[in-house]
Amino acid sequence: MNPARGIFLMISAITVFTIMTAFIKEAGRVPAGQAVFFRSFLSIPVILIWMKMQGEFPAALKTNRLGSHAVRSLAGSVAMGLGFAGLKYLPLPEVTAIRFVTPVVMVILAAIMLGERLRMIRISAVLVGLIGVVIITAPRFSSGFANAAALGAILTLGSACMAALAQVFIKSMSGQEKATTIVFYFGVTATFLSLFTIPFGWVWPTGYEASLLIGAGLVGGIGQLLLTSSYRFADAGVLAPFTYVSMLWSLLIGYVWFAETPTWPMMAGATLIIAAGAVIVWREQQLGQGNTAERKVKAKRWQ
């Protein structure tokens, strides 16, 4: 283990993912489904090259968990599409802040699907996180639901919930599937599913838009590999707090690139959500692997 190296790789991955998101936001005329296609399809060669370099190809393509991969990939694909759609209506930092609610929702889903216990600390963290979401989104619904900002908030919340569902399935497969296997099947599934959005209005991108989409796909694939590699050098509990670096990058990129100024409700709500997420991560570490066997038994119902 090399925690310093793991932290460096995690920060690099989060930085790359934030840049990828900015590319998608800049290509705002391109429909979300089309953006998902470029993001997913162009990441597949990067993943395959990485498998080959690690000596995992073609062994990593084999799996006995196609059902879990299918549901995880479906949830992840929907999460990506909703997240890309939300970028059209909300500032980048606000989308990032709302997406931080994913681990909070994951606690609820893990209790339902994996049989994990909801103790007082987790319940309190969930409540704090939900309060943070209310603080961020309330101004968007002040004039009702029939406005662009409210739609953006709904789409982004939906993205966070679907991402949490995907994470629950990843959790159920932990220790049984290689990270590269999970990433590969997600990329393939997302690419396939995105093609069904063609009838809803794909556009012919300009040269600039095409460069943004291609960049998002390649950068996204690289980011996924950096993220996967980070866990080889440090425990998840050590790395998790550094995922919140994306908030800093989102604020900087949003201000410099998109002239987006953060609001006080957004900052206050983000602080509560980040605090709740940090508590949940800390609690996960405290509990350790005590519930691993029970989780695997519960997970079989969802395979």
Side-chain angles (χ1 to χ4, degrees):
M1 301 292 279
N2 187 336
R5 189 172 184 179
I7 290 169
F8 172 77
L9 289 170
M10 173 60 76
I11 292 176
S12 299
I14 295 304
T15 302
V16 166
F17 280 135
T18 308
I19 294 172
M20 179 207 74
T21 304
F23 284 172
I24 297 296
K25 183 174 179 63
E26 177 69 5
R29 189 179 69 93
V30 177
Q34 189 174 356
V36 170
F37 173 81
F38 276 89
R39 159 65 179 89
S40 305
F41 178 71
L42 293 175
S43 69
I44 294 174
V46 179
I47 296 167
L48 291 175
I49 291 172
W50 178 256
M51 283 183 179
K52 186 67 174 177
M53 291 173 59
Q54 297 299 306
E56 297 179 352
F57 183 85
L61 302 181
K62 299 178 182 179
T63 179
N64 295 318
R65 303 289 300 277
L66 282 177
S68 294
H69 280 294
V71 179
R72 173 268 184 271
S73 298
L74 174 61
S77 300
V78 174
M80 188 190 301
L82 292 176
F84 287 172
L87 287 168
K88 299 178 185 293
Y89 306 106
L90 293 177
L92 179 60
E94 190 166 333
V95 169
T96 301
I98 295 175
R99 284 296 300 269
F100 280 147
V101 80
T102 295
V104 176
V105 178
M106 184 180 170
V107 168
I108 300 173
L109 293 180
I112 297 172
M113 299 175 63
L114 303 182
E116 295 188 358
R117 296 178 182 178
L118 276 178
R119 297 179 175 85
M120 185 57 64
I121 293 179
R122 283 180 170 180
I123 293 175
S124 300
V126 167
L127 292 176
V128 170
L130 294 179
I131 291 172
V133 171
V134 171
I135 292 174
I136 294 175
T137 58
R140 300 303 184 184
F141 297 108
S142 59
S143 57
F145 291 83
N147 62 82
L151 175 60
I154 292 171
L155 290 170
T156 308
L157 280 171
S159 174
C161 291
M162 294 305 293
L165 179 60
Q167 289 296 321
V168 168
F169 275 90
I170 291 175
K171 194 172 188 178
S172 74
M173 291 188 287
S174 71
Q176 302 175 53
E177 293 284 76
K178 293 180 180 295
T180 48
T181 305
I182 296 173
V183 172
F184 172 77
Y185 281 104
F186 169 61
V188 171
T189 304
T191 300
F192 174 73
L193 292 176
S194 68
L195 297 177
F196 287 93
T197 67
I198 293 177
F200 297 96
W202 280 28
V203 301
W204 189 262
T206 64
Y208 179 58
E209 290 169 339
S211 65
L212 289 169
L213 293 171
I214 293 172
L218 296 177
V219 167
I222 293 171
Q224 194 67 60
L225 297 179
L226 289 170
L227 180 67
T228 301
S229 298
S230 68
Y231 291 105
R232 296 172 54 197
F233 299 100
D235 294 332
V238 174
L239 298 175
F242 294 93
T243 61
Y244 297 116
V245 170
S246 61
M247 190 73 245
L248 299 178
W249 285 122
S250 295
L251 289 169
L252 178 61
I253 293 175
Y255 182 78
V256 174
W257 194 344
F258 302 106
E260 297 170 342
T261 303
T263 63
W264 284 110
M266 190 277 288
M267 294 299 293
T271 300
L272 289 178
I273 295 173
I274 290 173
V279 169
I280 289 171
V281 170
W282 170 80
R283 187 55 179 167
E284 286 281 345
Q285 287 297 106
Q286 291 292 311
L287 292 175
Q289 302 299 318
N291 293 326
T292 301
E294 180 182 358
R295 181 188 302 141
K296 288 180 179 178
V297 171
K298 297 285 186 179
K300 288 182 179 178
R301 297 180 303 174
W302 304 93
Q303 294 177 15

